[in-house]
Amino acid sequence: MKYLLPAFLSALSACVTQQTASITPAETPVPSSVVVLRGTIRHAQPGDSVWLWRKLPQYDHRTKHAVAVAPDGSFRLRLPNVPAGFDAQLMHGFIVYLSPGDSLELAADRQNFNETLQFRGRGAHANNYLVQAQRHFDFNFAGLPENQHATASPAEFLGFVDAYRQRQLDTLAAWHSRQPLPADLIQLRRQVLELQRGLSVLRYTDNLKATTKHEPELPAGYFDFLRKLPWPTEGVDACRPAFLQTVASLNGAYRYFFLVNPAGLLSAAPDAASQLYARTTADVGDNVLRDQIIGALLANQLFDFSATSRPAVQAFLPVFRAHNHDSATARNLRYAWRTTAGLQAGSSAPDFTLHDLTGKSVSLHNFRGKVVYLDFWYSSCAPCLAEAPAGARLKKQFQGRDVVFLYVSVDRKAEDWQRAVTKFNLGGASSVHLLDSAAMQAASAYGVSVYPNYWVIGRDGRIWRSAAPRPSAGAEIVALLEQALGAKPK
């Protein structure tokens, strides 16, 4: 299941201003309006940097602050003129909370950042709490209620998800009793936990819908909580960093359960657009966030189902134009419409040339005459890596046959890509690994904005299926590859 907004990364990049941090050779007392973040990254490599995103109160975008890591692993990031406490996204996805006058010392190992990150100094208590909370709850995907209790009844699941949230609240209270946390951070964290609870409930019901292939029967009022959630009405691109990941995922889960059928397709019924707008407006409000949810729905339909959903999206467009007030969403949808015009089943698959693990140039057209199972991924994408065991079984099943498993990574650093290929055993005789890190030429050509993303390319070099099933789909992807193998070139 895909939970990220389409074109999210490009939208974020478009609304960001980068600022260069000032560096001074010696430490001085930190003024009350300044925040200093310094420390050491063990096993740092040339070109590494420390960065964080924050939202400035007077702007509807995030600003990136970055500073290079010295050869000895040290760094110093100084933020002047900080009027109040704020949340920010540190590298590797961690949320930190910084207050005027904070002087934080960070220590972490680059090779295992998530497990080694810790803070000392003024402001350390709040941030060590956030590290522990994110490490044990937010990033503990296997421990999430929807993964631990996927077979529970709907009523039982609400009990499990409430118990999980209570453990998170108890952790917050314990840290606050040990040493007071900023009031803004406490309120912010409580709001995040409400959003995370909503995400768990929606993911649970999404799984029911996907596995049973029909709309699940739920107790009356099961989703009443949606209208009480602290939705960031200003939209994903302008919300506080602490909300970012959860809201982006929540929007995707919401779209699948309420706005498409069990197969993930948009309804082509004449009144479908009006009904979906009415439903989303009631749950979220008449605001930018609603416009982004609907715009993402339409863009995903174009990227994921191409020819199948194009007529339904076209019929939806007049209602979209009448209601939408977010110019970025409109631009993203226009881009999706243009980009997918040539990505329909039967169209020539966009060619690309990239380097493999040995540095050799490899092109898609090199595999003409074989079926290509194209997999867009990256090394820190948990849903991508979760497919590795099923992928190994699928490759074994088609061993010795004319199927190439072509992995295209969008990792920025080759060493991260290479390490993941080895660690997760992604190689094999029928596997080809390519890196698409610089201009993302392949990912852009295929309109990829969410990961993992799979395509099947026929022997004749034409698109057989966009939004192809994942390896974990089992019989569904096996049948699709068999059909492509047996098809006669057009």
Side-chain angles (χ1 to χ4, degrees):
M1 197 64 57
K2 298 169 185 157
Y3 295 118
L4 294 179
L5 290 174
F8 167 68
L9 292 178
S10 61
L12 180 60
S13 176
C15 65
V16 159
T17 302
Q18 178 141 346
Q19 297 184 357
T20 303
S22 59
I23 304 175
T24 58
E27 291 302 321
T28 57
V30 176
S32 60
S33 62
V34 171
V35 169
V36 171
L37 177 63
R38 64 183 182 276
T40 304
I41 306 294
R42 298 187 296 279
H43 298 109
Q45 298 186 3
D48 281 353
S49 63
V50 171
W51 52 262
L52 59 83
W53 301 98
R54 66 163 168 156
K55 182 178 184 293
L56 299 178
Q58 65 270 40
Y59 299 113
D60 286 334
H61 64 241
R62 292 178 196 83
T63 295
K64 183 178 182 180
H65 304 273
V67 65
V69 176
D72 64 357
S74 64
F75 69 91
R76 185 176 187 276
L77 186 64
R78 183 178 187 274
L79 307 181
N81 304 320
V82 177
F86 64 92
D87 54 304
Q89 184 181 28
L90 189 65
M91 66 251 236
H92 295 264
F94 274 97
I95 297 298
V96 295
Y97 190 87
L98 304 173
S99 298
D102 277 355
S103 180
L104 278 167
E105 184 175 349
L106 177 157
D109 191 318
R110 185 185 190 277
Q111 296 178 353
N112 194 6
F113 190 91
N114 288 13
E115 294 302 320
T116 59
L117 176 64
Q118 59 182 343
F119 293 93
R120 293 190 305 175
R122 177 172 172 176
H125 181 67
N127 287 288
N128 284 328
Y129 156 69
L130 285 171
V131 168
Q132 177 172 305
Q134 291 170 94
R135 187 180 289 155
H136 292 291
F137 295 109
D138 302 19
F139 299 163
N140 180 19
F141 301 112
L144 293 174
E146 59 269 33
N147 295 326
Q148 285 284 316
H149 307 289
T151 60
S153 70
E156 289 173 334
F157 183 78
L158 291 184
F160 289 126
V161 78
D162 285 338
Y164 188 78
R165 181 184 55 174
Q166 189 58 52
R167 290 199 298 275
Q168 293 175 291
L169 290 171
D170 290 344
T171 300
L172 174 61
W175 278 78
H176 182 59
S177 65
R178 192 180 311 165
Q179 181 180 326
L181 296 168
D184 178 57
L185 172 59
I186 293 174
Q187 180 183 14
L188 181 64
R189 188 63 185 167
R190 285 179 173 273
Q191 291 175 327
V192 169
L193 297 186
E194 285 299 309
L195 291 168
Q196 288 179 347
R197 179 189 181 278
L199 176 58
S200 286
V201 174
L202 276 171
R203 281 179 170 169
Y204 164 79
T205 50
D206 278 1
N207 290 336
L208 286 181
K209 182 175 178 176
T211 54
T212 62
K213 304 300 182 185
H214 63 74
E215 303 292 342
E217 294 184 9
L218 301 169
Y222 201 74
F223 290 109
D224 286 352
F225 70 88
L226 287 173
R227 300 179 186 185
K228 300 176 183 178
L229 284 182
W231 296 100
T233 57
E234 67 273 30
V236 175
D237 300 329
C239 73
R240 296 180 69 164
F243 293 147
L244 187 60
Q245 290 280 73
T246 302
V247 172
S249 298
L250 191 57
N251 291 356
Y254 179 93
R255 291 196 306 272
Y256 179 70
F257 191 82
F258 292 112
L259 307 184
V260 297
N261 67 23
L265 293 169
L266 179 68
S267 172
D271 60 346
S274 298
Q275 289 183 356
L276 296 188
Y277 261 104
R279 169 82 216 203
T280 310
T281 302
D283 289 335
V284 178
D286 184 354
N287 51 50
V288 171
L289 183 63
R290 180 209 61 183
D291 294 341
Q292 290 178 347
I293 291 173
I294 296 294
L297 164 71
L298 300 179
N300 270 349
Q301 290 292 300
L302 293 170
F303 283 125
D304 292 351
F305 301 102
S306 197
T308 304
S309 287
R310 200 170 183 85
V313 172
Q314 188 169 22
F316 202 113
L317 289 178
V319 181
F320 170 79
R321 295 189 186 103
H323 288 83
N324 179 66
H325 302 293
D326 184 51
S327 58
T329 294
R331 286 196 302 271
N332 290 340
L333 184 53
R334 287 195 295 271
Y335 170 80
W337 184 265
R338 291 193 306 269
T339 301
T340 58
L343 295 177
Q344 321 241 358
S347 300
S348 294
D351 197 15
F352 53 82
T353 300
L354 301 169
H355 291 102
D356 68 9
L357 289 165
T358 67
K360 176 184 175 183
S361 292
V362 177
S363 301
L364 178 63
H365 68 252
N366 295 152
F367 306 109
R368 191 66 59 88
K370 296 185 177 182
V371 172
V372 176
Y373 187 41
L374 180 57
D375 176 354
F376 289 96
W377 70 292
Y378 59 93
S379 64
S380 59
C381 168
C384 303
L385 300 176
E387 293 293 324
R393 292 192 296 270
L394 187 64
K395 284 185 283 190
K396 185 176 181 180
Q397 191 164 351
F398 284 91
Q399 187 173 354
R401 303 180 68 185
D402 287 339
V403 178
V404 174
F405 292 83
L406 183 58
Y407 296 80
V408 175
S409 167
V410 295
D411 275 295
R412 292 185 178 274
K413 295 187 177 180
E415 59 268 24
D416 294 337
W417 164 56
Q418 294 161 349
R419 189 182 302 115
V421 171
T422 301
K423 180 178 179 180
F424 296 95
N425 194 28
L426 301 178
S430 59
S431 303
V432 178
H433 285 273
L434 305 178
L435 183 61
D436 189 20
S437 62
M440 293 182 66
Q441 58 159 303
S444 297
Y446 285 80
V448 175
S449 60
V450 292
Y451 300 88
N453 199 296
Y454 298 91
W455 299 68
V456 174
I457 311 299
R459 294 178 183 271
D460 56 2
R462 295 182 179 275
I463 295 171
W464 182 264
R465 172 77 179 269
S466 61
R470 296 183 180 192
S472 59
E476 187 180 359
I477 182 57
V478 170
L480 185 64
L481 293 175
E482 292 285 3
Q483 292 167 11
L485 281 168
K488 293 182 179 180
K490 297 180 180 179

